[in-house]
Amino acid sequence: MRKMAVAMAKGGVGKTTTAVNLAHGLASRGQRVLLVDCDTQGQVARFLGVKPSWGLYEFITERRPDGKAMSRNDAVFPARENLWILDGGIRLVELKNWLGEQPRQMRQTVLAHKLVPRQGALDFLIFDCAPGWDVLSVNILMAADEVLCPVALQGPALQGLKTFFRYLQSAQKLNPDLRLNYVLPTMYDRRTRHSQDVFEQLKKYFNRQLCNPINYNVRLCEAPAHGKSIFEYAASARGARDYRNLVERILNHGHRQERHT
Ligand SMILES: Nc1ncnc2c1ncn2[C@@H]1O[C@H](COP(=O)(O)OP(=O)(O)O)[C@@H](O)[C@H]1O
Ligand SMILES: [Mg+2]
């Protein structure tokens, strides 16, 4: 099973768009995927047009908010064929408090220990991360072994990358298996000089990890309002083509990328 965190220190760069479309794209290719929403904004369920009653909080604590015990499996919501989600949202604030109360030596690895599916039950575990750095982000980077980092080629694009690499390096000290395998340029607009310039810079630094860019595509903004992935909403749109391309790369090029140091 591959365990991939879609992470970046900055918000609004296309993390959730990537996590959702990548997860659904992989699921459509017959891969069994669990998508974990690690953001208090809880956008994953909205993007997929579903309303799970329970989520990551209940999965980890094995408790409902009213304190009643519940089985972990009940927290996993089937969102599509081959695609399950663990919902995020505001209850993750409680989860972070709960994690903070765990004994120091195990606090950072609770997620890694609890998220162990039955042998062969899943092909991909994908984490949609929040922009900040807290006890939950650390837990994700302890549970994952690959990182996919979206970089928006708009505005101050490289801002946030440096901070993110500091996070990543401190996480790698605790989890030496963690690799930055994919740097994904998003919101690419080939007509602007800025997009081109940033893309060239990324090429210099991340030759091996750099993926083909995801173009700026208005269909990608519209799809979540309909509760659909891009493949359901506009299968022939450029955004769908770009994400299909990413799915192929991830399926075909597996673990060939090197570690960022
Ligand atoms: N390639 C793209 N083209 C156009 N809009 C995009 C693209 N990727 C993401 N968006 C839009 O940008 C906004 C932020 O994306 P989102 O995936 O929520 O970012 P993050 O999870 O990093 O905060 C959303 O409204 C989303 O629909
Ligand atoms: Mg998000």
Side-chain angles (χ1 to χ4, degrees), residues 25-208:
L26 288 165
S28 313
R29 293 289 310 272
Q31 303 288 309
R32 282 153 308 166
V33 185
L34 175 61
L35 174 57
V36 186
D37 186 349
C38 303
D39 198 329
T40 50
Q41 291 186 33
Q43 296 278 45
V44 164
R46 187 178 74 84
F47 272 46
L48 287 166
V50 294
K51 287 204 167 91
S53 302
W54 319 116
L56 186 59
Y57 170 88
E58 289 77 14
F59 183 90
I60 297 294
T61 62
E62 295 175 59
R63 297 241 164 266
R64 298 203 303 219
D66 60 10
K68 289 203 178 108
M70 72 176 285
S71 133
R72 257 195 248 164
N73 285 345
D74 291 343
V76 181
F77 187 88
R80 297 290 190 278
E81 190 178 359
N82 291 329
L83 174 60
W84 293 265
I85 67 174
L86 272 173
D87 193 21
I90 199 68
R91 285 200 309 280
L92 297 185
V93 173
E94 288 294 312
L95 178 63
K96 291 178 200 187
N97 293 339
W98 185 90
L99 286 168
E101 288 160 6
Q102 302 309 300
R104 181 169 273 283
Q105 65 279 16
M106 56 173 289
R107 192 177 295 164
Q108 296 175 323
T109 51
V110 174
L111 201 62
H113 286 131
K114 296 223 176 192
L115 262 174
V116 183
R118 249 182 319 109
Q119 184 76 30
L122 286 177
D123 301 300
F124 279 89
L125 198 53
I126 296 180
F127 299 97
D128 177 27
C129 300
W133 180 250
D134 55 23
V135 64
L136 183 54
S137 329
V138 180
N139 264 270
I140 296 161
L141 296 181
M142 296 303 108
D145 39 42
E146 301 182 70
V147 174
L148 183 159
C149 174
V151 179
L153 301 187
Q154 303 226 332
L158 299 175
Q159 194 190 61
L161 259 181
K162 234 172 148 179
T163 317
F164 183 64
F165 289 134
R166 271 211 315 275
Y167 293 167
L168 208 55
Q169 278 169 349
S170 54
Q172 280 171 330
K173 287 193 187 119
L174 302 166
N175 176 9
D177 292 336
L178 191 67
R179 302 275 188 278
L180 174 69
N181 276 355
Y182 305 99
V183 171
L184 178 69
T186 61
M187 306 185 193
Y188 180 66
D189 182 350
R190 61 183 68 246
R191 292 165 309 179
T192 69
R193 183 70 199 267
H194 183 65
S195 269
Q196 305 270 7
D197 286 349
V198 180
F199 187 62
E200 290 306 317
Q201 286 191 51
L202 288 174
K203 242 192 218 161
K204 253 193 260 161
Y205 293 116
F206 304 105
N207 191 24
R208 293 177 71 90

Side-chain angles (χ1 to χ4, degrees), residues 8 10-18 39 41 43 46-47 128-129 131 150 186-188 214-222 224 239 243:
M8 169 58 162
K10 214 166 149 220
V13 297
K15 289 185 295 297
T16 304
T17 304
T18 298
D39 198 329
Q41 291 186 33
Q43 296 278 45
R46 187 178 74 84
F47 272 46
D128 177 27
C129 300
T186 61
M187 306 185 193
Y188 180 66
I214 305 292
N215 284 272
Y216 184 89
N217 179 228
V218 73
R219 298 280 177 256
L220 284 167
C221 315
E222 294 167 358
Y243 275 110

